[in-house]
Amino acid sequence: MKPTPSNRPPRNTDGSKRRGNACKRSRRRLPSAGVLRRLTEDEVAGLQARLRNKLSPDDLETLGEGGLIVNGQSDGAPGQINGITHTLVLKRCAADDGLLLTWAASNQKLRTVLLEDNLLSLDCVTEIVSALASNKLGALQALCIRWNPIKAEGAAAIATALRTNTTLRSLDLVNSEVGTFGAMALGHSLKHNRFLTALDLDSNAIGPSGVQALPSALKENHSLLTLRLNRNGLGPAGAEHVAELLRGNSTLTSLHLCGNSFKEAGATNLASALRSNRALNSLHLADNDIGDEGASALADNILCNPSLATLALARNKIGPAGAEALAQSLLGGSLRELLDLNYNHVGHEGAAAIAAGLGARTCRLEALQLRSNGLGDEGVKGLCLAVERGLVTKLDLNNNGVKEEGATRLVAAL
C-alpha cells in the first residue's frame, strides 16, 4: 500500500528519512570502573578534536597547548585536560563520552564538576558514582548533575556512594527526576555521610513520602547546612515531616521550601517547630499560599527563636492582618537580615504596622521587600520615616502605585 500523507514516515528537510527522535542525542557505552586511567596524549588529542566538532568557537572558554576545557554555553571555568584542572564544566554538550569521564574520574586535582543538562545516561551516572564511592576523585568537593534525567535509579546509586565518600561537600540534583524513592534513598544515606554540607533537590516531584526519611537521618547528621526542596509537591503532609526534621536537627542553617502548597496547616506545623529549633538562620517559604493565618503562626513562634535572621514569604496572599502579626515579631527583635513580603496584599494598613515595628528600638532588620503590595502613597508615608532615620538599609517598594506625593517623600527620605 502506498503511504498516505498521514502514515508516511517523517522526513528531514532534504527528503531523507528521519531516524527516531530528531532531538535525541546519541549515547556511547562507557568504560567500566575497572578501566579508569589517565588518558594518553593521543587520546587527549582525539578528545579535543571531538569536542571542537561538537561546539562552536564561541562555546570554548580556553584553548591552550595543554588542553581544553569544555563550556557548552561559554560560562564555565578554565582548566587543562591531563593537567591540574580544578573545575570541569560541561553544559548541554552530550557529555556521555567515555574518554572524558575516564579522564575526570582519574583526575586527583578536580574540585568541581558541573554536568548540567547533558542527558546523562544511567551508565554515565554509574561511572561517576563508582569514582565517588571509592574516593578516586580525591579532591572533588562540588558535583552538579542538574537537569539530567537520572531518575530514582541514578539517585539511589549516588546515595550509596555518599555512604562512603569523604570529599564531596555540595551535591546539586535539581530537576533530575529523582522522585519519591530516589529522595528516600538520599535521605537514608545522610545517616552515614558526615561531610556533605549542601544538598539541592529542587523540582524533583518528591512528594510528602519522599521526605519521610529526612527527620531521622538529619537527627544523626551534623554536617548538612543547606537543604533545598523547592517545588516538590510536599503539601501539608510533607510540612509535618519537615517540622519533625527541624525539631530534631541542630545544625541545618538554611532551608528552602518554596512552591510546595503548604497552606495554613503546613505553615502552622513549621512554625511550631521554630519554637524549639536554635540553628536555622534562613527560611524560604515563598509561594505556599499560607495566608494571614499562616503568617501569624510564623510570627508568634519566631518571637521565641533568636537564630532566625531571614524569612522569605513572597507570593503567599498575606494581607494587613498577617503583616501586623509579622510587625509584632519585629518589635520583639526577631529577624535581623531580611523580611521578604513581595507580591502579597499588605496594603497601607499593613505597611503602617510594619513601619511601627521598624521604629522600635529592639528592631534589627536590615532589608525589607514589599514589592507589589498595593501600598500607595499612604502606605509609603510611614516607611519613608524609617528610611530617613536609617532604621532599614535596604527597602524594595517597586510597583506599589506610588504617585507624585509618595515619590517626593521617598526622594526626600533618601
Side-chain angles (χ1 to χ4, degrees), residues 333-381:
S334 300
L335 305 180
R336 299 180 305 280
E337 296 175 5
L338 169 67
L339 175 59
D340 179 358
L341 290 172
N342 285 341
Y343 306 103
N344 280 293
H345 312 300
V346 168
H348 66 86
E349 294 177 356
I354 291 174
L358 292 174
R361 290 183 178 181
T362 51
C363 180
R364 299 172 291 169
L365 190 69
E366 294 179 4
L368 174 64
Q369 296 182 347
L370 286 169
R371 179 182 298 228
S372 298
N373 269 284
L375 306 186
D377 288 351
E378 186 66 23
V380 165
K381 187 188 302 181

Side-chain angles (χ1 to χ4, degrees), residues 388-402:
E388 189 176 328
R389 293 178 179 176
L391 303 176
V392 61
T393 56
K394 297 177 182 178
L395 182 62
D396 185 347
L397 295 175
N398 282 320
N399 198 25
N400 270 296
V402 177

Side-chain angles (χ1 to χ4, degrees), residues 58-71:
D58 293 338
D59 291 331
L60 303 181
E61 180 77 12
T62 301
L63 263 175
E65 290 183 7
L68 166 71
I69 204 68
V70 187
N71 308 306

